[in-house]
Amino acid sequence: MWFSTLRSILFVSWLSAVLPGAAAEPMLVSNSLNTCQEDSMFTASLFEVVYTPNNNTAYINIVATSSVEGSVKFDIAISAYGYTIIQTTIDPCEVGLAGLCPMTAGKIPLEFNLPVDDSAASQIPGIAYTFPDLDATVRVFLNMTDTGKSVACVEADISNGKTVDLIAVKWVLAIIAGLVLCSSAVINGLGHSNAAAHIASGALSLFGFFQSQAMLGLTAIHMPPVVQSWTQDFQWSMGIINVDFMQDIFTWYQRATGGTPSTIFDSLTTVSVQVEKRALAAAPEAAANLYRRTAQMLPRGAAELLKRGNVMTGSGSYIVYGIQRAAFKADIESTNLFMTGLTFFCLLVIFTIGAVAAFKGLCELAVKQKWMKGNTFLEFRNGWLTVLKGILFRLTLIGYPQMAILCLWEFTQVDSPAEVVLAVFFIVGMTGTLAWAASKVIRIARRSVAMHRNPAYILFSDPQALNKWGFLYIQFRASAYYFIIPVLAYTLVKAMFIAFAQGNSTAQAIGFLLIEAGALIAASVLRPWMDKSTNSFNIAICAVNFVNAIFLLIFSDVFNQPALVNGVIGLILFFLNAIFATILLIMVIVSTTLVFYRKNPDGRYQFMADDRASFMKSQSQLTGTTELDALAATARGDKAGYKHGLDLDDDNESISSASLRRRTDTSNLSIHAAAPVSAYSRNNNLSKPPRSPVDPSTPLFPATSNPQRAPSPYNDSVASHPSGSPPSYRAQNNASPWQRGAGYD
C-alpha cells in the first residue's frame, strides 16, 4: 500500500539522520536534513541518503549533532505534494533501534549501507520512481517520553532523481530560438520584408516568453520542485550557462580584483545544501539571523547576514534561494553568476559581429565568382555596416533583461570592486543606449507625422532608419511607435523587483502581479502590435505571465493556505506553461518553415493597415529604375542609398533629414511668384539631388502637385508663404497620400 510504503521509505530517510536509517528510490534520494523548530536539539550538517530498490539497500552518509539525552518518541508525518498521507508515532525502544534508546548527546558521524525489508520495498508504487521532481517530505518531531515536550524537529525532502530540468530541452529551445531569428534576417535580406517582420516579431516574443519563465525561477519565492526545475530549463536565456573552465577563470578574476569567491561546491562532501522549496513554519534561532532574505516569518531583530547570500544555518549547512538557487542548480558558484551572464552576453555580441562580417565576405565572393546573382542580398552588401549596427542594437534589446537583473543584483552582492564597476558600466550603458534609440525613433516618427501626416512614411521608407532603428518599432503598428518605451520600463522595473527584493518574497509576488496586470491591460487595450495575429500571440503571452504572477503570490504563502494548495498549484503551473510553450514553438516553427516553401513569402501575410509594405520596397527594386537614374547615382557616388563609413548618427543622410531640409529651408529661395511649380521642382532637384534611394518623384511615392487634392487639415498650423512660393503651395494643396489606415485622416 502507498501509505505503508512511504512510511517505510521516508522513515528510513529520517532514521539515517538520527542513526541507522535509510531512504529512498531506484532511486529515492534525500540530500539535506532541515530543522523545522526553534532551538532544535538535533541537527545535521551533512545528510545523504540514497535508496536503490534493485538491491533493496539504502546508502547512508550523515554528520549529525544531538543535544538530546533520555528516552524519546518519534512523531512522524509523511506528505506528498503538501498532502499528509502518513502520521504515526514510533518508540525506538519498542522497535529496538540501538543508540536511540535512550538518546545520548554528542556528534554522530555515520556512513553505512542499510538493507531494506522486501515487504516495505514492494509497497512502493512505481510512479514514485518515475514522476519527475517528486515533491515528498518526511517531518519528524522528537518528543521526550516523560514530558511529551518537543525537543527537536527535522525534515527531509525526497526526490527520485527524475527531473524536467534537462540539458536536451535547453539545447532544443536555444537552437530553435536562434534559427528563427537568423531565418528572419535571411528572409529580410532576400527582400521579403513583410514576412521577415512577422517572423522576427514572433521570434522576439517567443524569446521574451523564455526570459519571463527564467525570471520566475530567479525570484526568492518558495516554489515546488517541479516549478524550480521547469524554470531552470530557461535560465540559458539569462546567460546562466555552466562551462567548467570559465568558472575557474571567473574565480581567479574575482580573487585578483579583491573579492572572496564562495566555495559551496567544494564543501558538498562535508556539508549539505538546502534548496528551499517552501517557507518553514519556524527556523532555528541561530539560523534566523542569516535567513532574513529567505523566510518572512523570522524574528524582526535579525541582523547578522553572511556576505553574498551564502546563508548558513546553525547546523552548518547552507540554504540557497532565488538567484542563488538558480546558480546552484546550474552548478555555478553564486559569486561567479554575474561574470557568467556578462561573459556570455559579450561572447554573443562578438560572435554575431564575426558572423555578419563573414557573411558579407562570402556574399561578395559568391557574386564575384558568379555563384549567385548580383542583386541577391544587395541591400545587405551595400549597407552592411548599418545593418550590423541595427543587429547590435537588437542584441542589446534581447540581452537587456538579463543584464539588468544581474547588474542590479551585483550591487547588492559586491563580489569584487572590479565587478561592481563592470555592472555600473553595462547597466548605465545599455539603459542609456536603448533610451537614446527609443527617443530617436520617436523624433523620426514625429517628423514623419509633421511632414507626411503618417509616421510610417519615414520609419519604413528610409532604409537607414529601418535597418538601424527598426528593431524598436517594426513589430508594432506605425501609430504605436512609442510602445517601446513602456516595454523598456516594464523590463527595468521587473528587474529591480527581482534584484532588490530577494529578501522579501511577498514584495516580489505583489510587484510581479501589478507589473503583469499592467502589461496585460496595456496589451489588450492598446493592441500595439502590427496585426491581429501578432496581437493575439503577444496578448496570450501576457495573459500566461499574469496567471504565473497569481501563482507566485499563492506560493508566497500570503494567504496562509495549506501546503496541499501549493503542491497542486505547482503542478498546474508546470502543465500550463509546458503546454503553452509547446504551442508557441509549433506556431513559430510552422510559420517560419512555410515561408521558405512559398514563392512569394510576403503573400502569406495580410498587408498592414499602416501601408508599411508600400514603403518597405527592396532597394534592388527602387535603385536605378532608369538608365538616367543609374547614371545620376553613379555620378554622385551613391551606392544603393547608403553612405560609406560606420557613422554614429546618420541624421544628415537619412531621408527624414533630407526631406525636411528640402521642404523647410526656404531662406535661400528666390523664385518669382509667377514661376511654375514644375520649373521650381526641376531646379530644386538639380541643385539638391536626393541622397536617399527613396525618390518622391517615382510612381511609388507620388510627389507631383495636384490642385484638385483635398486641402490638408494642418493648413491652420502651417505658416503662410507668398502665394507663389512652391513650399507654401505644396503645404496647402499637396497633402501626402500616405495617410490612409494610420489613423491620421
Side-chain angles (χ1 to χ4, degrees):
M1 249 182 85
W2 167 255
F3 296 121
S4 55
T5 298
L6 278 180
R7 173 181 176 177
S8 303
I9 291 181
L10 299 181
F11 176 57
V12 170
S13 162
W14 174 80
L15 281 183
S16 56
V18 182
L19 188 67
E25 148 191 49
M27 301 168 141
L28 292 177
V29 180
S30 181
N31 291 317
S32 65
L33 189 69
N34 313 327
T35 55
C36 46
Q37 173 182 308
E38 291 188 12
D39 300 321
S40 178
M41 300 177 68
F42 187 93
T43 60
S45 60
L46 176 65
F47 182 78
E48 183 180 2
V49 178
V50 180
Y51 166 68
T52 53
N54 293 336
N55 55 12
N56 283 345
T57 301
Y59 166 76
I60 311 297
N61 185 16
I62 180 175
V63 177
T65 302
S66 174
S67 301
V68 180
E69 293 185 350
S71 299
V72 296
K73 290 185 178 180
F74 304 144
D75 187 0
I76 304 172
I78 301 174
S79 62
Y81 296 97
Y83 179 72
T84 301
I85 55 178
I86 298 177
Q87 191 160 5
T88 185
T89 301
I90 295 179
D91 188 341
C93 296
E94 294 180 359
V95 296
L97 294 177
L100 298 180
C101 179
M103 291 192 68
T104 57
K107 196 167 186 177
I108 310 175
L110 297 170
E111 183 175 4
F112 58 92
N113 291 317
L114 180 70
V116 178
D117 186 76
D118 290 339
S119 60
S122 62
Q123 297 175 9
I124 302 175
I127 193 174
Y129 302 111
T130 57
F131 194 84
D133 297 294
L134 180 67
D135 185 5
T137 303
V138 56
R139 175 176 291 187
V140 180
F141 286 91
L142 277 72
N143 302 323
M144 299 302 297
T145 302
D146 51 353
T147 63
K149 178 183 178 181
S150 175
V151 294
C153 174
V154 290
E155 184 180 62
D157 296 328
I158 307 300
S159 169
N160 57 15
K162 309 295 183 182
T163 180
V164 296
D165 180 12
L166 302 173
I167 295 294
V169 173
K170 300 175 184 179
W171 274 104
V172 169
L173 295 176
I175 290 173
I176 291 175
L179 288 178
V180 173
L181 284 171
C182 292
S183 298
S184 66
V186 172
I187 294 171
N188 186 64
L190 294 173
H192 306 296
S193 55
N194 191 22
H198 281 82
I199 293 176
S201 176
L204 290 176
S205 298
L206 179 66
F207 196 84
F209 177 72
F210 289 169
Q211 289 181 321
S212 68
Q213 295 288 289
M215 290 180 187
L216 295 178
L218 296 178
T219 62
I221 299 170
H222 325 289
M223 295 183 293
V226 68
V227 179
Q228 294 180 22
S229 297
W230 168 252
T231 57
Q232 200 69 24
D233 281 329
F234 301 92
Q235 296 301 339
W236 59 268
S237 65
M238 308 299 289
I240 302 178
I241 304 171
N242 180 33
V243 179
D244 290 338
F245 79 91
M246 293 177 67
Q247 296 304 311
D248 295 335
I249 295 175
F250 300 150
T251 300
W252 166 83
Y253 177 79
Q254 189 176 13
R255 286 198 180 102
T257 55
T260 304
S262 62
T263 57
I264 288 182
F265 289 96
D266 293 337
S267 56
L268 284 180
T269 56
T270 57
V271 298
S272 296
V273 177
Q274 304 172 20
V275 180
E276 188 188 16
K277 70 176 183 179
R278 59 169 59 90
L280 300 177
E285 186 176 357
N289 294 337
L290 302 176
Y291 202 66
R292 186 183 57 165
R293 297 182 184 178
T294 337
Q296 298 170 291
M297 57 285 297
L298 296 177
R300 294 181 178 272
E304 184 182 354
L305 280 180
L306 283 183
K307 188 180 178 182
R308 288 184 292 279
N310 294 335
V311 180
M312 179 179 289
T313 66
S315 62
S317 62
Y318 289 101
I319 298 177
V320 293
Y321 58 93
I323 295 178
Q324 299 155 1
R325 176 179 60 209
F328 178 78
K329 293 176 76 69
D331 295 332
I332 298 174
E333 292 284 359
S334 61
T335 52
N336 287 344
L337 186 63
F338 168 72
M339 287 301 300
T340 300
L342 173 64
T343 301
F344 274 101
F345 175 73
C346 294
L347 289 176
L348 176 63
V349 172
I350 294 172
F351 174 79
T352 302
I353 294 174
V356 172
F359 186 68
K360 156 71 173 174
L362 289 175
C363 288
E364 296 296 345
L365 178 63
V367 171
K368 186 176 181 179
Q369 298 295 329
K370 300 187 183 304
W371 296 337
M372 71 180 187
K373 296 180 180 180
N375 62 351
T376 304
F377 295 113
L378 179 62
E379 294 176 61
F380 169 75
R381 286 159 41 216
N382 289 340
W384 75 280
L385 289 178
T386 300
V387 174
L388 177 59
K389 285 187 290 184
I391 292 174
L392 294 181
F393 276 121
R394 176 160 292 184
L395 289 180
T396 303
L397 181 64
I398 292 175
Y400 186 62
Q402 159 194 340
M403 295 308 301
I405 293 173
L406 294 179
C407 289
L408 295 176
W409 184 65
E410 177 60 24
F411 296 155
T412 68
Q413 303 301 293
V414 193
D415 294 321
S416 79
E419 293 186 28
V420 174
V421 172
L422 289 174
V424 172
F425 174 80
F426 274 89
I427 188 63
V428 173
M430 295 179 70
T431 303
T433 298
L434 291 173
W436 176 74
S439 67
K440 178 76 172 179
V441 170
I442 293 176
R443 293 201 306 269
I444 293 175
R446 288 179 176 177
R447 182 181 303 167
S448 182
V449 171
M451 294 167 56
H452 307 284
R453 299 166 54 196
N454 185 348
Y457 188 96
I458 297 178
L459 288 176
F460 294 99
S461 64
D462 185 352
Q464 294 213 45
L466 184 60
N467 286 323
K468 188 174 180 181
W469 313 113
F471 74 100
L472 289 174
Y473 62 80
I474 198 170
Q475 65 268 35
F476 305 121
R477 67 177 190 270
S479 57
Y481 58 85
Y482 59 85
F483 201 74
I484 189 62
I485 298 294
V487 170
L488 293 177
Y490 163 86
T491 302
L492 182 59
V493 173
K494 199 171 181 180
M496 288 180 176
F497 271 97
I498 294 175
F500 295 147
Q502 287 286 305
N504 194 327
S505 60
T506 301
Q508 280 187 332
I510 295 176
F512 264 61
L513 184 66
L514 296 177
I515 292 171
E516 298 300 347
L520 178 60
I521 293 172
S524 302
V525 174
L526 298 177
R527 287 174 289 180
W529 286 275
M530 64 177 75
D531 57 15
K532 183 176 180 180
S533 61
T534 310
N535 274 297
S536 301
F537 189 88
N538 286 276
I539 291 174
I541 292 177
C542 292
V544 172
N545 288 340
F546 177 68
V547 173
N548 290 338
I550 296 176
F551 290 163
L552 286 185
L553 186 64
I554 295 174
F555 292 149
S556 68
D557 289 334
V558 69
F559 302 113
N560 293 321
Q561 72 277 1
L564 176 62
V565 175
N566 286 2
V568 173
I569 293 297
L571 292 176
I572 294 175
L573 186 149
F574 165 66
F575 285 112
L576 170 65
N577 286 270
I579 294 172
F580 185 71
T582 302
I583 294 174
L584 292 184
L585 283 171
I586 293 175
M587 292 175 62
V588 171
I589 292 172
V590 170
S591 62
T592 304
T593 303
L594 290 178
V595 165
F596 284 96
Y597 285 94
R598 296 179 69 100
K599 290 184 178 180
N600 180 20
D602 287 339
R604 184 175 180 273
Y605 302 96
Q606 294 181 349
F607 288 104
M608 272 71 76
D610 54 22
D611 277 334
R612 67 177 65 186
S614 300
F615 309 134
M616 295 169 60
K617 294 297 182 181
S618 171
Q619 295 301 309
S620 60
Q621 300 173 23
L622 295 176
T623 305
T625 55
T626 66
E627 294 182 5
L628 184 59
D629 292 337
L631 290 174
T634 303
R636 292 193 302 267
D638 292 348
K639 190 174 183 181
Y642 292 94
K643 67 178 186 294
H644 303 284
L646 185 61
D647 59 295
L648 296 177
D649 192 345
D650 42 27
D651 274 354
N652 295 331
E653 303 298 334
S654 67
I655 184 175
S656 55
S657 298
S659 305
L660 188 63
R661 290 197 302 273
R662 287 197 300 271
R663 292 172 183 242
T664 61
D665 188 7
T666 61
S667 60
N668 295 327
L669 293 177
S670 58
I671 303 175
H672 193 273
V677 175
S678 59
Y680 166 80
S681 301
R682 288 194 300 269
N683 293 336
N684 187 51
N685 288 339
L686 290 174
S687 61
K688 297 184 70 174
R691 298 299 300 274
S692 169
V694 183
D695 187 355
S697 65
T698 63
L700 179 62
F701 304 103
T704 59
S705 61
N706 184 0
Q708 303 301 323
R709 183 168 296 161
S712 169
Y714 289 91
N715 281 347
D716 295 338
S717 61
V718 177
S720 61
H721 292 271
S723 59
S725 172
S728 175
Y729 182 83
R730 173 167 182 144
Q732 297 179 14
N733 300 286
N734 194 20
S736 171
W738 309 110
Q739 54 187 319
R740 62 185 180 276
Y744 292 90
D745 50 358

